[in-house]
């Protein structure tokens, strides 16, 4: 099983060594799995529990003071699902897998997605805030407990940030991608970005799999993950595809993003137009 994982495109991180260790452990978790879908699920699940990343515990908090999680998964057999806007759900990737593998749908949202998680023995009611969340919330001075329209000025002022997590995997026969996030910091309550949108935050076919990170609004408009997979299908190697697509993304949207890509042969590529994007891989490549 070959895996490549990312810990989000963004500013140069605090605690880079700790993050790198978590990324490497995520790869190891995935390598022990029997299927590509289980592999990306296990890798992302590990990162959802790691506080430095914007997914699960440590996820970005929305304008009403709630962390809502989103995730999407897809494999080359067309198994595809997502779950979004889930307060208190640490392992959004597991809910996305339930949607993909046990429902006829591609996305379930909000309180009903939390109900689905609880009914599937996936933990709910988790406190996803960390000390860093409390600090950021205090510094931003978000107006808590006010009507949604009165939150908008602060949203415009403070909205931003990245650090979503994702993984791509291949076993030589199949490919899969998974991405998970708390969204972007201080977004309007209920905002959903690219991560649970098929072809935006994640995508997989028989040729390649990709996971994206960055400014979700621009990523969703552009269809970043799908474009990377299509570039491989059209003949690029994954590295060229990632570079070319991130450059095209920047030229067309002016946005900031990162991307990881693998093909069936386990060749990998990554690219970002932010300051940094942490990755770890099972191969030297
Ligand atoms: N893409 C994510 C979102 O917009 C943010 C991130 O990559 O950290 O929800």
């Amino acid at each position: 099983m070959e895996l490549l994982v990312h810990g989000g495109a963004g500013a140069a991180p605090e605690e880079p060594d700790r993050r790198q260790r978590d990324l490497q452990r995520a790869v190891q978790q995935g390598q022990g799995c029997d299927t590509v879908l289980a592999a990306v699920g296990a890798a992302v699940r590990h990162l959802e529990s790691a506080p430095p990343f914007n997914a699960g515990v440590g996820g970005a908090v929305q304008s009403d003071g709630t962390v809502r999680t989103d995730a999407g998964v897809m494999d080359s057999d067309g198994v595809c699902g997502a779950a979004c806007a889930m307060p208190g759900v640490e392992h959004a990737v597991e809910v996305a897998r339930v949607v993909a593998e046990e429902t006829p749908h591609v996305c379930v949202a909000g309180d009903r997605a939390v109900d689905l998680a609880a009914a599937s023995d996936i933990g709910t009611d988790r406190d996803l805030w960390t000390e860093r969340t409390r600090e950021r919330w205090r510094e931003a001075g978000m107006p808590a407990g006010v009507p949604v329209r009165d939150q908008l000025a602060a949203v415009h002022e403070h909205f931003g940030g990245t650090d979503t997590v994702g993984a791509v995997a291949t076993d030589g026969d199949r490919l899969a991608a998974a991405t998970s996030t708390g969204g972007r910091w201080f977004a309007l309550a209920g905002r959903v970005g690219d991560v649970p949108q098929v072809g935006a935050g994640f995508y997989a076919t028989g040729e390649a799999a990709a996971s994206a990170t960055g400014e979700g609004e621009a990523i969703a408009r552009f269809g970043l993950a799908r474009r990377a997979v299509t570039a491989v299908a059209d003949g690029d190697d994954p590295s060229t595809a990632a570079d070319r697509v991130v450059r095209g993304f920047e030229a067309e949207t002016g946005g900031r993003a990162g991307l990881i890509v693998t093909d069936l042969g386990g060749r990998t590529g990554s690219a970002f137009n932010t300051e940094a994007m942490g990755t770890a891989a099972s191969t030297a490549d």
Side-chain angles (χ1 to χ4, degrees), residues 7-8 13-23 52-53 163:
E14 292 162 20
E15 305 185 288
D17 295 345
R18 177 177 175 191
R19 289 165 71 109
Q20 198 57 37
R21 276 196 300 278
D22 276 321
L23 291 169
F53 300 100
D163 283 348

Side-chain angles (χ1 to χ4, degrees), residues 14-241:
E14 292 162 20
E15 305 185 288
D17 295 345
R18 177 177 175 191
R19 289 165 71 109
Q20 198 57 37
R21 276 196 300 278
D22 276 321
L23 291 169
Q24 273 151 1
R25 274 194 210 113
V27 167
Q28 285 159 7
Q29 296 290 325
Q31 280 183 299
C33 295
D34 292 339
T35 67
V36 284
L37 206 57
V40 291
V44 165
R45 186 183 196 284
H46 179 81
L47 296 171
E48 289 173 334
S49 296
F53 300 100
N54 172 16
V57 178
V61 66
Q62 298 196 322
S63 62
D64 61 349
T66 301
V67 179
R68 294 182 178 82
T69 57
D70 311 328
V73 297
M74 186 168 184
D75 74 10
S76 50
D77 289 335
V79 176
C80 177
C84 64
M86 297 181 289
V89 174
E90 178 178 357
H91 295 301
V93 73
E94 294 193 337
V95 193
R97 284 194 66 189
V98 169
V99 174
E101 295 172 282
E102 298 179 44
T103 80
H105 309 306
V106 290
C107 190
V108 177
D111 290 345
R112 298 287 86 83
V114 178
D115 291 347
L116 179 63
S120 309
D121 292 327
I122 298 166
T124 58
D125 285 327
R126 295 281 161 88
D127 177 8
L128 304 178
W129 280 55
T130 63
E131 198 40 53
R132 181 169 145 268
T133 316
R134 272 180 272 283
E135 263 166 43
R136 283 185 83 151
W137 180 261
R138 262 195 313 270
E139 280 165 18
M142 295 297 287
V146 301
V148 69
R149 284 232 147 249
D150 299 333
Q151 296 167 17
L152 267 176
V155 168
H156 280 293
E157 189 181 343
H158 297 291
F159 173 58
T162 49
D163 283 348
T164 282
V165 304
V168 292
T170 182
D171 61 5
D173 290 321
R174 292 188 170 78
L175 287 142
T179 310
S180 179
T181 192
R184 297 182 72 196
W185 287 85
F186 310 122
L188 193 64
R191 174 264 189 193
V192 174
D194 60 303
V195 167
Q197 297 194 47
V198 186
F202 68 102
Y203 201 60
T205 66
E207 282 92 17
S211 168
T213 165
E215 296 172 3
E217 284 69 13
I219 293 172
R221 282 196 294 271
F222 187 80
L224 191 64
R226 187 176 197 139
R227 291 217 203 188
V229 167
T230 302
V232 174
D234 290 346
D236 279 352
D237 64 82
S239 177
T240 308

